[in-house]
Amino acid sequence: MAREPDDSEFFSVDDLPDADPAAVEAAYNQIVARHVLANLRAGSGMSLEQVARRRGVTKAAVHQLEIRPLGKVRIASLIGYLQAVGYEVDEDWVARSLTAALPARS
């Protein structure tokens, strides 16, 4: 059976509306925030395998940590990851920073 011709219109890039700069910036910031750990690792020049070796876990475990929303990352895992990537992490500073960043409870 012969296929019916498609009457759909095709649009070029020039036919698309201009992007909303605020929406583009918001999307970019959301992507960067979502992948902050992967960006830190990439900036250090380390591979998934190198970080995994330093942490004593699998590459898959490191990848899963990198794609997990930060709100779901355990503090111990975050500190271990940062140390594996090469950052010196002062746990007292982390505790004080978290406490200072929290809004006052009424």
Side-chain angles (χ1 to χ4, degrees):
M1 176 180 222
R3 195 171 147 197
E4 292 293 320
D6 186 2
D7 291 337
S8 299
E9 285 189 56
F10 291 95
F11 298 95
S12 72
V13 173
D14 296 330
D15 295 324
L16 297 174
D18 291 335
D20 174 8
V24 170
E25 182 178 2
Y28 175 80
N29 290 335
Q30 186 178 29
I31 291 166
V32 169
R34 173 73 185 209
H35 300 288
V36 68
L37 296 181
N39 289 333
L40 287 174
R41 179 180 51 77
S44 75
M46 295 182 73
S47 68
L48 281 171
E49 187 169 343
Q50 289 170 314
V51 174
R53 243 185 284 126
R54 284 189 174 182
R55 293 203 64 216
V57 298
T58 64
K59 288 190 320 185
V62 173
H63 177 68
Q64 287 172 359
L65 181 66
E66 289 182 348
I67 64 170
R68 185 173 293 139
L70 283 179
K72 302 229 183 242
V73 174
R74 293 181 181 186
I75 292 174
S77 296
L78 179 60
I79 290 171
Y81 179 92
L82 292 172
Q83 290 170 334
V85 171
Y87 291 95
E88 290 186 31
V89 180
D90 178 346
E91 292 182 27
D92 290 333
W93 175 84
V94 171
R96 285 190 311 275
S97 298
L98 284 172
T99 303
L102 295 172
R105 295 185 89 175
S106 51

